Amino acid sequence: MKATLCMRAALWVALFTIYLVGYNTFAQAGTVRIVPKGEHFSLTVSVKDNQFSESTLIRRNDDGVFIYEFTEELFSDTAYEERIFVLTWSPKTENIPATGVQPISLEVPVLLRAWELTENYIIDAWPLDGIGNEQMTEYELITDSEGQWRKYFASWHQADHFIRRLRPTVGQARRALNTSVEGLKKISINTTVPWLLPIIGMEDVIRRSFQYDQHKRDSLIDAIHEVESLIWTDLNGMESKLNGKNCNVISRTFTYLETLRNKENKIYKIQINDDGEFLKNKKDAVINKLCPEKASPG
């Protein structure tokens, strides 16, 4: 009888342990959620590892939301992983909401972090609602934080429409691009969303559209670089962020950051105004603390 009770107790402990492991595994899954908005376009979403890889279609859930999950397994190499979400809008009806409106695909990069496995990143995917001065003014006057997604995507969509129908330097396109960058900056910086990176090709489009206005071109590109520089705010508290991570992952994370700094030193200096010693010192401090066996002698 006593042995039977002990076996039952052991079984319950084992089952409870399995439950906790399963619960914690489930709980440690971050998500990127793309929420379709607007009424004139249908949206499809796919994801790819980089610009040159094949994309994988993401299906809507029962609520119509596209969800991409990321877990600890994704970060086997470094604490950073970039994923590119391809958002493709197609008009439901020809010439609505604008004459000659075409499908548009945007590649939206998101920088995932290993220490944010409980986060839900939400992207409100707004296509344009119409064209013209009145519509552009409506986007420009958006001030609420949630509305900035509409300001960002719908204005970019409107700029794309004018660029295709007319030319990159047309005034309507430049005005819409300016509004779009303003929306991106407010999403990323004003509301502290460091995981969102600029639409791929954004800087090139701005260079073409503002080729005759160097001051405005440089101002918009500086705003894009400011968004890209937010990764360097991660260095604050990096020790606690990487605590518990595999030492190889920690080492490779700093290798990733060093490569990024060397490639985009101007962007690095927006947040860290030094010659690189700050990153080196941060790396040494974190590795000395978390991985003393990998620390440099002396």
Side-chain angles (χ1 to χ4, degrees):
M1 182 70 174
K2 188 174 182 180
T4 302
L5 289 174
C6 288
M7 289 178 64
R8 287 179 178 175
L11 178 62
W12 278 110
V13 170
L15 290 173
F16 186 66
T17 302
I18 292 171
Y19 166 78
L20 286 179
V21 171
Y23 175 80
N24 287 332
T25 300
F26 175 77
Q28 295 297 310
T31 63
V32 179
R33 297 168 179 258
I34 295 114
V35 184
K37 297 289 186 177
E39 58 180 320
H40 301 302
F41 292 82
S42 60
L43 176 67
T44 59
V45 177
S46 59
V47 61
K48 54 186 183 179
D49 296 347
N50 56 65
Q51 283 183 260
F52 308 104
S53 65
E54 294 293 324
S55 61
T56 301
L57 190 67
I58 301 176
R59 299 193 180 278
R60 297 171 182 257
N61 69 3
D62 293 340
D63 296 321
V65 178
F66 301 90
I67 298 179
Y68 174 83
E69 289 191 350
F70 58 98
T71 64
E72 185 72 38
E73 295 178 356
L74 182 65
F75 304 96
S76 59
D77 192 41
T78 78
Y80 291 100
E81 284 289 341
E82 183 177 307
R83 288 296 180 270
I84 298 173
F85 294 88
V86 184
L87 280 55
T88 301
W89 287 276
S90 300
K92 294 179 180 178
T93 306
E94 186 178 2
N95 296 326
I96 294 178
T99 301
V101 68
Q102 298 292 316
I104 180 176
S105 287
L106 301 182
E107 294 189 345
V108 182
V110 170
L111 187 61
L112 307 173
R113 291 156 167 83
W115 56 86
E116 296 188 342
L117 294 179
T118 59
E119 297 296 320
N120 294 315
Y121 302 153
I122 299 175
I123 296 174
D124 287 338
W126 281 97
L128 64 81
D129 309 285
I131 62 169
N133 290 331
E134 185 175 339
Q135 189 65 63
M136 280 193 271
T137 299
E138 182 180 339
Y139 296 152
E140 289 167 344
L141 294 177
I142 293 173
T143 57
D144 65 290
S145 57
E146 290 185 3
Q148 298 308 315
W149 288 103
R150 185 173 173 226
K151 192 171 195 172
Y152 178 35
F153 285 134
S155 294
W156 184 268
H157 194 174
Q158 185 160 176
D160 178 82
H161 176 78
F162 283 114
I163 289 170
R164 291 194 202 194
R165 301 271 298 175
L166 299 172
R167 60 187 183 279
T169 55
V170 72
Q172 297 98 319
R174 289 186 287 113
R175 181 180 174 186
L177 288 172
N178 181 73
T179 305
S180 180
V181 172
E182 184 179 300
L184 169 64
K185 187 173 178 179
K186 288 186 176 179
I187 292 167
S188 297
I189 298 171
N190 294 12
T191 58
T192 317
V193 180
W195 47 265
L196 180 68
L197 297 175
I199 294 166
I200 290 177
M202 194 173 199
E203 187 172 331
D204 290 339
V205 172
I206 287 170
R207 288 187 184 280
R208 291 198 305 271
S209 291
F210 291 89
Q211 57 184 291
Y212 304 118
D213 187 345
Q214 180 180 350
H215 177 75
K216 190 62 180 179
R217 180 183 68 234
D218 291 347
S219 173
L220 293 176
I221 290 174
D222 285 346
I224 292 173
H225 288 171
E226 189 174 354
V227 170
E228 294 173 321
S229 76
L230 290 178
I231 185 174
W232 298 109
T233 63
D234 288 350
L235 292 178
N236 298 319
M238 188 61 104
E239 181 181 315
S240 63
K241 291 167 182 171
L242 294 178
N243 189 27
K245 304 300 179 187
N246 180 286
C247 285
N248 286 330
V249 169
I250 293 174
S251 178
R252 289 168 184 161
T253 295
F254 279 103
T255 299
Y256 169 84
L257 291 173
E258 288 169 337
T259 301
L260 188 64
R261 190 274 317 277
N262 293 338
K263 179 182 176 183
E264 301 172 342
N265 192 50
K266 178 182 176 181
I267 295 175
Y268 167 82
K269 287 188 173 183
I270 293 173
Q271 298 292 339
I272 312 295
N273 188 23
D274 76 345
D275 59 0
E277 286 300 310
F278 183 83
L279 177 58
K280 179 183 180 300
N281 293 339
K282 180 65 69 173
K283 174 185 177 180
D284 291 344
V286 171
I287 289 179
N288 285 336
K289 179 72 173 180
L290 301 181
C291 301
E293 69 278 10
K294 286 185 173 289
S296 301

